[in-house]
Amino acid sequence: MTRHAVSLALALSALVVAGPALADDDWIPPVTDDLTRAECGDCHMAFQPGFLPARSWDAMMDGLADHFGDDASIAADKTEHIRAYLTANAGDRIRSEMAREYMRWVREGGVPLRITENPEFLDEHDFRQEVWDRPEVVTKSNCLACHEAAERGSYDED
Amino acid sequence: MSVPSVRLPTLSLAAGLGLAVLAPVSAQADAAADRQAILDALAEEARAADPAFSGFSAAGGETVFRTEWAGGDERTPSCTACHTQDPTAMGRNAKTGRPIEPVAVSVNPDRFTDPDEVAKQFRRDCEAVMGRACTAQEKGDYITFMAEQ
């Protein structure tokens, strides 16, 4: 075995063992909670909790009656279930390379609510206006318009 | 002698197919019953609001669906802003871009079968489209229209 073959084999085995979580910074742990997926997914894709810190999800769940201008309130028991899931899996609570890249832009104690305003997002989406104007895009938060596998946490297209 | 031995499996196969065919039919019957229960509750509400209430109409529902209300969010002046002019077609959320399953019951038999979902969706959508809550009459008409689409 040449040295190259050995290191290739080692690299491959690392991929198999670690999975995408450690090997890929275009992957973030997907939403695995059914209620969160269903309720948040009612109007938009249920965004992965790793994109925001826990205090942001707390603020989000406190403010559903005016959710970016819409009344997205749901029953109190559902709100608390979803809050618990989102905060437990928030970007400052999980080990994920992609979440880490987003969290490093969040000021200490800062409570961002829009993932699309994170410099990491902006840096990855530095497009001409005509791209944003495509009819299927509608808004910057419509991940699925371009990232087919976004719901599975995979953002590696384009 | 060979005839029964051929018939038996044929019969059980037929029985098996019968079950397979019946299952979705009964699921649809359940869905229709659930939808009717929602309509019954709305009818009671409508009667309480207006003693002259005389039932729901699909034509009224179509008017709710196609009218340019323009009373709520400017991106959603009408139901059709998201659901398109064709209730049997896929729609798209005009604010988020997310695809929306067809509203027509013929395409989507589970529509209007969960009372909590129905209440939630009318609360959000009436506010977004009309800038106010829908009346029980409007909700019942809308469901009646979609049940025929």
Side-chain angles (χ1 to χ4, degrees):
Chain A
M1 240 185 199
T2 67
R3 220 171 40 198
H4 275 109
V6 170
S7 51
L8 179 64
L10 279 173
L12 284 174
S13 66
L15 274 176
V16 168
V17 172
L22 296 173
D24 190 346
D25 60 2
D26 287 331
W27 183 85
I28 196 160
V31 175
T32 53
D33 180 66
D34 285 341
L35 186 68
T36 302
R37 211 167 21 214
E39 292 295 341
C40 303
D42 239 4
C43 303
H44 55 71
M45 189 194 94
F47 305 113
Q48 285 82 15
F51 284 121
L52 291 171
R55 54 186 180 276
S56 292
W57 291 119
D58 257 327
M60 198 82 73
M61 299 312 287
D62 284 339
L64 288 181
D66 182 4
H67 186 65
F68 304 101
D70 278 315
D71 180 3
S73 49
I74 51 174
D77 57 334
K78 290 183 177 176
T79 303
E80 291 319 306
H81 175 103
I82 294 170
R83 179 201 303 275
Y85 175 76
L86 293 175
T87 53
N89 293 279
D92 55 345
R93 302 258 170 98
I94 58 167
R95 285 185 57 183
S96 150
E97 177 58 22
M98 194 175 183
R100 197 191 62 76
E101 285 177 357
Y102 275 75
M103 289 310 102
R104 74 193 166 104
W105 294 102
V106 178
R107 205 181 308 123
E108 188 164 350
V111 188
L113 295 177
R114 291 181 189 272
I115 298 164
T116 53
E117 288 177 355
N118 188 298
E120 182 66 24
F121 177 93
L122 295 171
D123 186 48
E124 294 274 356
H125 299 82
D126 183 19
F127 304 139
R128 299 179 310 279
Q129 187 56 37
E130 63 201 74
V131 174
W132 296 116
D133 289 344
R134 287 182 193 160
E136 72 273 18
V137 173
V138 181
T139 170
K140 286 187 178 181
S141 62
N142 185 13
C143 311
L144 288 164
C146 304
H147 302 284
E148 224 172 80
E151 280 177 297
R152 296 196 295 280
S154 180
Y155 291 88
D156 59 357
E157 295 95 328
D158 294 327
Chain B
M1 285 308 281
S2 67
V3 174
S5 68
V6 171
R7 266 185 194 158
L8 274 174
T10 311
L11 277 173
S12 58
L13 178 65
L17 283 173
L19 278 177
V21 170
L22 279 174
V25 168
S26 96
Q28 281 191 15
D30 286 350
D34 290 343
R35 199 154 37 243
Q36 191 55 49
I38 291 172
L39 282 170
D40 290 346
L42 285 170
E44 206 169 303
E45 207 184 309
R47 202 169 294 115
D50 176 12
F53 170 71
S54 61
F56 295 126
S57 95
E62 180 160 19
T63 300
V64 170
F65 181 68
R66 299 198 191 283
T67 297
E68 295 276 317
W69 298 94
D73 191 301
E74 61 180 13
R75 293 165 294 182
T76 53
S78 64
C79 307
T80 59
C82 298
H83 295 302
T84 82
Q85 289 288 341
D86 177 4
T88 66
M90 285 292 292
R92 184 179 356 238
N93 188 309
K95 300 174 196 172
T96 69
R98 178 185 166 281
I100 301 174
E101 295 294 320
V103 215
V105 169
S106 64
V107 191
N108 209 347
D110 284 340
R111 281 290 190 191
F112 311 107
T113 56
D114 179 336
D116 292 345
E117 276 299 309
V118 169
K120 180 178 73 179
Q121 214 58 52
F122 274 128
R123 180 169 51 76
R124 289 178 182 171
D125 292 353
C126 295
E127 193 57 48
V129 170
M130 303 175 171
R132 61 166 173 84
C134 289
T135 63
Q137 176 86 54
E138 287 167 335
K139 294 179 199 173
D141 287 351
Y142 188 88
I143 295 175
T144 302
F145 172 61
M146 289 306 171
E148 292 179 5
Q149 296 303 301

